[in-house]
Amino acid sequence: MPRVTYVHPNGEREELDVAVGMSLMQGATSHGVAGILAECGGNAMCATCHVYVDPDRLDTLPPISADEDALLNGAASERRSNSRLSCQLVVMRDFDGLVVSLPERQV
Amino acid sequence: MTHDLSLPGAGGAESVRAPQFKAPSGAPVSDVDPFSIEFFEDPHRIHDELREAGPVVWLGRHGVWAVARYQEVHDVLHDWQTFCSGRGVGVSDFAKEKPWRPPSLVLETDPPEHDRARAVLNRVLSPAAIRELRARVTAAAEAKARALLDKRTFDAIPDLARAFPLSVFPDAVGLRQDGREHLLPYAGLAFNAFGPDNELRRRALDAAAPHIAWVTEQCRRENLAPGGLGAKVHAASDTGEITSQEAVLLVRSLLTAGIDTTVNGIGAAIYCLARFPDQWRKLHADPSLARSAFEEAVRFESPVQTFFRTTTCPVRIGDVELGEGQKVLMFLGAANRDPRRWENPDAYDIARRTSGHVGFGSGLHMCVGQLLARLEGEAMLGALARSAASIEITGTLKRAYNNTLRGLESLPITIHSKG
């Protein structure tokens, strides 16, 4: 199972095995990772599962859809060039070793 | 209670009233009427029976299928190709009966036409757009909390659950001042109309004319204040994204779904916090929990209890084959308390991780106003938690009856200030 690291704003790291086919959001919420709210449950409607992706891995991820792009503009924490919604990132084998940082706030 | 429930081969149901519609063979059958006063008063035991009867159950009274388990409700919500909305999301099949009003461009449509209209509402109610309302909604909630604290004893439904959304939502949309008293009756009518041809629905339709007339007029561009949500919907017709007639119908969606839902959501949260003092104490100690306290109340009470879909082709759920053109009733409230999905589902727990609940639906028709609802709920509960030390029920509560919405008509409470 690909191993993904979620880094909290205070630097604390949580390493989780996330099954292929699950989203990074589901991986986090099913393990109780604080800081990923996912209020809409993964329907791409709320922008409360915002993460900053390791910039070196950005190009390997599926592209941002128009919906995700619009939602990220309304995210509670600053949008950066490596901002993504974790509900839109479905884990594949090559996600192994991916590091994502959590923003200060989701609402 | 005259409902009965039986499994195939278990001897059959001895119901007081014979089902009107014959059960397809092999399917679990129930004689429950989910649009009855008995059901509104206590849906939970019947939800449990429906969940335990099987993944899909035939409701003989209305000749429709029911899904009450989380997984099946979720699956039906997400499979719009098989379970469509274009034939109506109530009992009535638009392929066979004329709808009581021109159908909604979002709720009662399917892709691709759904997506064009929905994109406009997604933008008007986006996280960025709702953020602009935050300061105003929060200030209104704080003013409301102060006024209620002065009163100390009041009815939390008219004085809080209705008064607060009515103090922010119509202004946010940009509605005229006069005639706002039509909003709640119109919404009540629309949500009753999803039900069967029962007394609730008939009475609502009999009284509908003035409410429909006001709402129809109010949806026109010239009656909506510049800068409001309604004007923003109409602005989409300037670029040709939608027509001006479509804009009118989309504003109608805001007025139909934007007020009674938040009224019942906030009412549910107050009812929960007044009933479960340990949870109130937790919120009072940490008002930043207001948003999750609201969200958990939406899961726990499920203010929108049910919606239908219609099958577009034969489909199998579990071992049961459903034909084409059949109505499927999704019990959102039952899914939100399914022990297969939720730990300790019958506890109101404001620290719960509620992500995935279907109180706002799920899939492409999921509530487009959910962010505004959460903002209103968070603001009001946060303001109360910061100003009041305790909250208790000090009178007899009365349930409101609606074919779709679950909530109270009256909830007498007393709040005490700090110290």
Side-chain angles (χ1 to χ4, degrees), chain B residues 33-101:
Chain B
D33 181 4
F35 306 101
S36 63
I37 303 300
E38 294 92 324
F39 187 84
F40 301 148
E41 284 292 344
D42 180 19
H44 302 301
R45 188 174 48 84
I46 296 165
H47 282 164
D48 190 46
E49 290 178 8
L50 289 172
R51 278 191 304 256
E52 296 316 309
V56 65
V57 182
W58 177 254
L59 300 186
R61 292 277 183 98
H62 300 294
V64 302
W65 295 99
V67 287
R69 294 181 184 177
Y70 179 86
Q71 189 62 52
E72 280 71 25
V73 167
H74 186 270
D75 291 350
V76 169
L77 282 168
H78 281 263
D79 183 2
W80 59 266
Q81 288 97 335
T82 309
F83 302 96
C84 76
S85 292
R87 290 170 73 167
V89 295
V91 174
S92 173
D93 182 353
F94 292 179
K96 296 172 185 157
E97 288 179 278
K98 188 175 180 288
W100 68 277
R101 62 173 192 176

Side-chain angles (χ1 to χ4, degrees), chain A residues 33 36 38-39 43 45 74 107, chain B residues 131 291 353 355 362-363 374:
Chain A
V33 174
I36 298 275
E39 288 181 335
N43 284 289
M45 290 179 197
V107 290
Chain B
R131 194 167 305 284
R291 199 170 171 97
R353 294 205 65 131
S355 177
S362 193
R374 289 195 188 99

